[in-house]
Amino acid sequence: MNFERAKSIILIILVGTSIFLTWSIWTYEPEYDKFGDRSNYIKIKSDVQIVSDVVKPVSILFHGNGRHFQTSDPVEINKMEKEFSQWSFTGVKEISVKRLQRKFDDFVHEDGSIEIEFSDDVPISLYKTVLNITDKDVPSFSFDRIIIKQKDISGNESAVYFVSYDQEKIYQGMVDSKRLRDFMDDFYTGSYSKHPEYTAETINSKRTLFVPEKSIKVNRLQYYIDNLDIGNLKNALFNDPKYVRQEPVSVGEEYTDGTRLMTINKENYLISYINPAQKDKLFSSSGDLLQKSIDFINDHAGWEDNNYRFAYMSENEQRVVFRLFVNGYPAFNESGMTEIEQIWGKEEIYSYERPYFSLASVLPSDESVETLPSGREVLNQLKSKDNIDFKSVEDISIGYKLHKSLDSKLVTLVTLEPTWYYRIGDKWFIVPGDTGGDQSGLE
């Protein structure tokens, strides 16, 4: 083979290779995920909240020597949560049947115990992500308080109780006794000197409430606010945001794709979304319902200032409510400016209502201390009103009434006024009379 022939062969090979590579580039079709196979909303990077961030105790009751003490201090609650989340629970089982001969209320509020209370029943199927339950199979139940009893601590393992107050159900899990002794030493011992004393009031044959013996001093607060990104919400709630039309309305703006509707209320800083196609419900268990509600807000960076806590859930309605908490106290507003409410439909969210602001910075110069009446005075007020069914009252709590205003530079402020509230069912009302306010229902 001479040199010229070799060059020709090499040239042919190079040209052929070039043609093949060019053809491969032109005909290459990458495999993209189909949009329809993805979630029904666009995920946006955010500071994700996990179950222990959102599903938290609202108060701790200490019972001892016929007296009762309570705290809602977030620092102490977080410290207590950190402790019991490190325990190993075994042998979780129902013991309700064994205690039918004993008055249920006496068991729950027994002397020498700590009662850790939640806003509403929490599914153990969800909360076991917070606790370390070593059992392979855990019974299905919900609870609204965890109880540790000093007298039951003995031997190597001792019982911790999960109680559903409304259902009168009691479950127990076994925990290392040394851990429980250390826990009681840290939190129960000396509680009478650290926390205000509360008085017990029997509301009816099935319910006892605890209210402070003396008047309570609570800070009145004012905050500047920041706004949530409306674009993030629009992208999260509409399958294909490029087909969404924006129209002005009297209170703000509306966004629609012909089926879904999102309304921006600029007067009260509220967002209301509805998807009528999802009106029919596909019923999820309470644990799944609460988990997907948390995930839904995570996916569009919707927790704002991370001050929202699980407040209420209805499995029948497929409805979940998260409430704004400030310094351990729940906040209320008659327009819904302190709540995130979700109602789930057949395949995705049916209704979504929420504020689109966060508490940015407190104004320390405007902070003042207000003195609220004692719990005994509040009880007397409720009993004296003919239009209030006292025996139906399920909770009494100090909360913040939120209202907005403008400063001298026309910057929006929100003020949090300490106020007494009572609850019947899932509705909260301002206690009337000397404690101020009206009787408008607050979902």
Side-chain angles (χ1 to χ4, degrees):
M1 179 182 297
N2 59 34
F3 181 69
E4 291 299 326
R5 187 174 180 183
K7 285 199 302 181
S8 297
I9 293 172
I10 292 171
L11 181 61
I12 291 170
I13 292 173
L14 289 174
V15 170
T17 302
S18 176
I19 292 171
F20 173 77
L21 291 174
T22 302
W23 176 84
S24 297
I25 293 171
W26 286 351
T27 59
Y28 174 68
E29 293 184 4
E31 294 184 4
Y32 294 108
D33 291 338
K34 293 181 180 180
F35 186 82
D37 293 340
R38 296 182 181 181
S39 171
N40 285 325
Y41 44 83
I42 297 171
K43 293 189 176 182
I44 300 165
K45 290 183 179 180
S46 66
D47 292 328
V48 171
Q49 296 286 284
I50 59 176
V51 172
S52 59
D53 296 323
V54 181
V55 183
K56 302 184 75 66
V58 293
S59 64
I60 307 165
L61 263 168
F62 305 88
H63 307 284
N65 298 321
R67 302 169 71 189
H68 317 280
F69 303 87
Q70 182 173 305
T71 180
S72 298
D73 178 16
V75 174
E76 184 150 11
I77 287 175
N78 287 339
K79 184 180 177 183
M80 189 174 285
E81 265 189 312
K82 184 178 179 180
E83 286 290 323
F84 66 67
S85 67
Q86 295 174 359
W87 300 345
S88 291
F89 290 82
T90 61
V92 177
K93 63 181 181 180
E94 183 177 1
I95 61 167
S96 308
V97 176
K98 297 179 181 179
R99 298 182 182 267
L100 287 178
Q101 295 179 346
R102 181 178 181 182
K103 189 179 176 184
F104 176 78
D105 227 30
D106 289 343
F107 172 84
V108 174
H109 311 306
E110 188 175 14
D111 244 22
S113 65
I114 294 179
E115 196 176 335
I116 304 167
E117 298 182 288
F118 294 77
S119 293
D120 194 14
D121 275 358
V122 177
I124 192 65
S125 60
L126 180 76
Y127 204 70
K128 68 182 181 182
T129 62
V130 178
L131 305 175
N132 178 22
I133 299 178
T134 60
D135 298 351
K136 185 177 180 180
D137 296 313
V138 179
S140 177
F141 66 92
S142 294
F143 65 94
D144 65 353
R145 58 201 69 200
I146 299 172
I147 297 173
I148 301 103
K149 295 176 178 288
Q150 198 168 46
K151 72 176 184 60
D152 288 350
I153 302 176
S154 62
N156 293 326
E157 287 189 323
S158 304
V160 172
Y161 303 96
F162 301 90
V163 174
S164 174
Y165 198 73
D166 286 338
Q167 299 176 32
E168 297 192 4
K169 294 284 189 181
I170 305 169
Y171 288 76
Q172 74 172 27
M174 304 304 291
V175 174
D176 178 74
S177 294
K178 184 180 184 307
R179 286 218 178 239
L180 295 183
R181 291 189 192 98
D182 292 343
F183 184 83
M184 296 302 273
D185 287 343
D186 289 342
F187 297 102
Y188 182 82
T189 304
S191 58
Y192 61 88
S193 62
K194 295 187 294 184
H195 308 303
E197 186 166 1
Y198 276 56
T199 185
E201 175 73 19
T202 301
I203 302 296
N204 53 48
S205 61
K206 293 186 176 182
R207 186 173 297 275
T208 299
L209 295 181
F210 296 85
V211 293
E213 287 269 10
K214 299 179 180 179
S215 58
I216 298 289
K217 296 182 183 298
V218 183
N219 286 336
R220 174 185 177 272
L221 303 169
Q222 275 196 317
Y223 285 86
Y224 289 118
I225 64 172
D226 282 337
N227 289 342
L228 195 67
D229 189 334
I230 301 299
N232 282 356
L233 281 165
K234 184 185 74 172
N235 292 339
L237 294 169
F238 292 92
N239 280 354
D240 198 341
K242 69 182 179 182
Y243 292 116
V244 175
R245 303 188 307 274
Q246 178 183 346
E247 298 177 3
V249 292
S250 59
V251 295
E253 300 168 351
E254 280 186 354
Y255 295 84
T256 182
D257 62 359
T259 302
R260 301 165 178 83
L261 175 67
M262 183 172 81
T263 302
I264 311 298
N265 183 328
K266 293 188 175 181
E267 181 180 348
N268 291 319
Y269 295 86
L270 293 173
I271 289 170
S272 177
Y273 166 87
I274 190 166
N275 182 3
Q278 293 295 316
K279 187 174 183 180
D280 293 336
K281 293 178 174 59
L282 178 65
F283 284 88
S284 302
S285 69
S286 55
D288 292 339
L289 176 62
L290 186 49
Q291 182 64 70
K292 71 180 180 180
S293 298
I294 294 170
D295 292 342
F296 177 77
I297 301 174
N298 278 338
D299 283 323
H300 59 269
W303 290 112
E304 303 177 8
D305 46 19
N306 301 335
N307 285 328
Y308 281 85
R309 304 286 179 259
F310 167 63
Y312 173 78
M313 176 168 54
S314 169
E315 193 171 337
N316 288 336
E317 298 175 291
Q318 292 288 281
R319 174 173 171 246
V320 177
V321 176
F322 301 95
R323 183 175 302 284
L324 177 67
F325 275 72
V326 180
N327 297 338
Y329 295 111
F332 301 93
N333 172 268
E334 60 272 13
S335 299
M337 293 173 67
T338 61
E339 294 178 356
I340 300 175
E341 180 192 76
Q342 301 176 36
I343 300 176
W344 286 86
K346 184 168 54 178
E347 296 165 333
E348 56 184 274
I349 201 84
Y350 162 65
S351 172
Y352 185 41
E353 297 184 357
R354 59 161 306 139
Y356 66 87
F357 68 90
S358 63
L359 304 180
S361 56
V362 68
L363 281 69
S365 59
D366 287 331
E367 181 178 312
S368 61
V369 177
E370 294 193 8
T371 302
L372 295 180
S374 70
R376 177 58 59 192
E377 293 176 74
V378 170
L379 290 170
N380 291 336
Q381 285 290 340
L382 293 176
K383 290 177 182 178
S384 68
K385 300 298 179 181
D386 294 335
N387 60 337
I388 296 175
D389 182 4
F390 183 72
K391 292 188 178 298
S392 296
V393 173
E394 297 179 44
D395 200 357
I396 299 172
S397 175
I398 293 171
Y400 278 118
K401 182 180 180 181
L402 181 146
H403 58 86
K404 63 183 181 63
S405 59
L406 297 175
D407 68 5
S408 58
K409 298 179 181 178
L410 299 182
V411 175
T412 302
L413 305 174
V414 294
T415 302
L416 299 173
E417 296 277 359
T419 309
W420 273 109
Y421 289 86
Y422 70 98
R423 178 173 63 84
I424 296 177
D426 65 332
K427 297 185 185 298
W428 286 91
F429 305 87
I430 293 174
V431 174
D434 295 340
T435 53
D438 54 31
Q439 282 189 263
S440 56
L442 302 171
E443 295 278 339

